[in-house]
Amino acid sequence: MSQMIDWNTAVQTGIRLVRPGPAVSPEDAYQIVAELRELSGQAQGHVRDFTGMDGALDPSPAVVVDRPDWIRANVDGFKVVLEPLMEQLSAKRGAGLLGSGAVAQAVGSRVTGMQVGAILAYMASRVLGQYELFLPPDPTGHAPTGRLTLVAPNIMHVEQELGVDSHDFRLWVCLHEETHRAQFASVPWLRPYVQEQMTAFLLASDLDPGVMLERLKDAADAVADMVRGGDSSLIDAIQSPEQRKILDRLTAVMTLVEGHGDFVMDAVGPEVVPSVAHIRSRFQGRRDGGSRLDKTIRRLLGVDLKMKQYAEGSSFVRHVVAKVGMDGFNQVWTAPGTLPTHDEIKDPARWIARVVGTPELPAAR
């Protein structure tokens, strides 16, 4: 099958468009990288002690990258997830719906690569760190299947922008990202579950050309409404009914893991990050701010949805831990069936009644 996304174009476009990070000397850059690696190791211990999740499946050190390296790594991850899916979609839809002819497909894949690159360029200047779930397989079989990445220039930029203590801020960020490592390294079924939901979401798209054209029109209307300051959602506009059900499950699990990260970074913070209250206050202001154009782009890309997930997920975790303790909360990681639903995230008491209160599971200590 001809490539639907020109990945080389995506990387080249992203690197060309991404803004440079703060200017630092080679000596300062070396010091920042060394400190982030050290703080990541400290945070791993704090997260393990607080959550009871040992993350033993992935003891590797954090990888510290710049913005172009972050773009390259994400394209590698996209290829791992999307290329098998594209083969399935191509087989289901047939060549006629994807455009006939090698030239047409080559031009289309290049345009799509440029679009992917532009999105990655925007995100590469915002992301502080991430646990990369999907990496190319290691031929030796020794490397862990995921990788914790910290984006040094973005961490530096934000700490300077907020005027916060750099050591405290870096450790605070590491606490959040190490929580994600603990989640996916300690819960072996979580990564395949997320990938299964992503695969199902993409394969559930409507295949009828007329329906697809109508969806594109709805998406264009949604974009126009957002630019005017309305409340339309691009994500809603392009979904089929089946995709909405899958997205509810995917949103629920991502809200849980993001909120859990936020909860842990603030709960552990007072013990090891003296200025955590000041950092949280300043950082929340940054999340809520930005120009109108920036806010529109964030909504288009789903960034605002992620901000909402932090708040809702953190509230869910905080409520459950307060009611049934950390052991009770950790029953959430037992199996896919013990994950909270989209509705239970908003009403934690329903999850507690369903999971912690069921006779099949031990009561929280």
Side-chain angles (χ1 to χ4, degrees):
M1 183 196 76
S2 296
Q3 207 175 35
M4 291 171 63
I5 299 176
D6 187 326
W7 298 111
N8 288 332
T9 297
V11 171
Q12 292 165 6
T13 301
I15 292 175
R16 186 176 71 250
L17 294 179
V18 72
R19 293 177 295 176
V24 293
S25 67
E27 295 78 12
D28 287 343
Y30 179 84
Q31 184 273 326
I32 292 162
V33 170
E35 183 178 29
L36 284 172
R37 286 176 178 156
E38 180 185 351
L39 292 175
S40 175
Q42 292 179 22
Q44 193 171 28
H46 293 314
V47 169
R48 180 181 60 245
D49 293 344
F50 181 74
T51 65
M53 306 175 78
D54 60 15
L57 299 178
D58 182 11
S60 56
V63 177
V64 183
V65 301
D66 60 12
R67 291 169 178 176
D69 283 340
W70 183 86
I71 291 171
R72 293 186 188 99
N74 274 264
V75 167
D76 286 344
F78 283 163
K79 288 167 71 174
V80 169
V81 176
L82 294 181
E83 285 189 339
L85 273 173
M86 288 174 185
E87 296 289 346
Q88 296 179 62
L89 284 170
S90 179
K92 286 180 68 175
R93 295 180 178 181
L97 290 181
L98 294 175
S100 59
V103 173
Q105 290 198 16
V107 171
S109 69
R110 187 168 174 80
V111 170
T112 306
M114 293 172 67
Q115 294 169 333
V116 170
I119 292 171
L120 288 174
Y122 175 81
M123 297 302 295
S125 64
R126 297 184 60 87
V127 174
L128 302 181
Q130 70 182 54
Y131 187 66
E132 298 173 48
L133 292 179
F134 310 112
L135 297 174
D138 174 25
T140 68
H142 295 140
T145 48
R147 182 176 75 176
L148 181 63
T149 300
L150 300 170
V151 190
N154 295 349
I155 294 173
M156 280 188 60
H157 172 75
V158 173
E159 68 192 29
Q160 292 170 3
E161 181 182 66
L162 300 183
V164 294
D165 180 86
S166 62
H167 179 275
D168 283 7
F169 182 73
R170 293 169 191 179
L171 179 54
W172 189 68
V173 170
C174 287
L175 287 169
H176 183 100
E177 303 307 333
E178 286 290 351
T179 302
H180 289 328
R181 188 213 294 261
Q183 294 160 349
F184 288 97
S186 303
V187 185
W189 56 263
L190 188 57
R191 182 199 319 268
Y193 175 81
V194 170
Q195 186 166 6
E196 286 165 11
Q197 298 305 310
M198 291 170 59
T199 300
F201 178 78
L202 293 172
L203 290 178
S205 58
D206 289 314
L207 305 181
D208 178 75
V211 175
M212 292 172 69
L213 287 173
E214 189 63 30
R215 287 278 152 79
L216 288 174
K217 179 181 178 298
D218 291 344
D221 291 342
V223 170
D225 184 61
M226 277 187 276
V227 171
R228 291 192 299 266
D231 294 323
S232 294
S233 168
L234 184 62
I235 293 175
D236 286 341
I238 61 176
Q239 286 171 38
S240 68
E242 179 62 24
Q243 281 178 308
R244 288 193 181 94
K245 295 177 186 176
I246 299 166
L247 190 66
D248 274 354
R249 294 195 293 270
L250 193 54
T251 301
V253 68
M254 297 315 295
T255 299
L256 173 69
V257 299
E258 293 292 3
H260 186 226
D262 249 26
F263 169 79
V264 172
M265 74 194 299
D266 285 347
V268 175
E271 298 292 328
V272 296
V273 182
S275 58
V276 64
H278 176 65
I279 290 173
R280 167 57 75 187
S281 173
R282 299 300 302 271
F283 191 74
Q284 191 61 46
R286 177 181 180 270
R287 278 182 177 174
D288 297 337
S291 66
R292 181 169 177 176
L293 175 62
D294 186 59
K295 289 178 180 178
T296 300
I297 294 172
R298 279 169 19 199
R299 291 179 64 193
L300 283 169
L301 299 181
V303 176
D304 276 4
L305 175 63
K306 189 167 184 175
M307 300 304 142
K308 186 179 180 182
Q309 288 174 346
Y310 285 129
E312 288 188 349
S314 180
S315 176
F316 171 84
V317 178
R318 186 168 56 251
H319 181 94
V320 172
V321 171
K323 292 291 184 181
V324 298
M326 186 62 72
D327 286 349
F329 167 78
N330 279 343
Q331 292 182 34
V332 79
W333 312 116
T334 304
T338 58
L339 289 171
T341 65
H342 195 62
D343 290 336
E344 287 171 342
I345 289 282
K346 301 175 187 299
D347 186 1
R350 291 174 59 181
W351 179 86
I352 293 173
R354 179 175 69 86
V355 175
V356 182
T358 54
E360 292 83 1
L361 293 170
R365 291 198 299 271

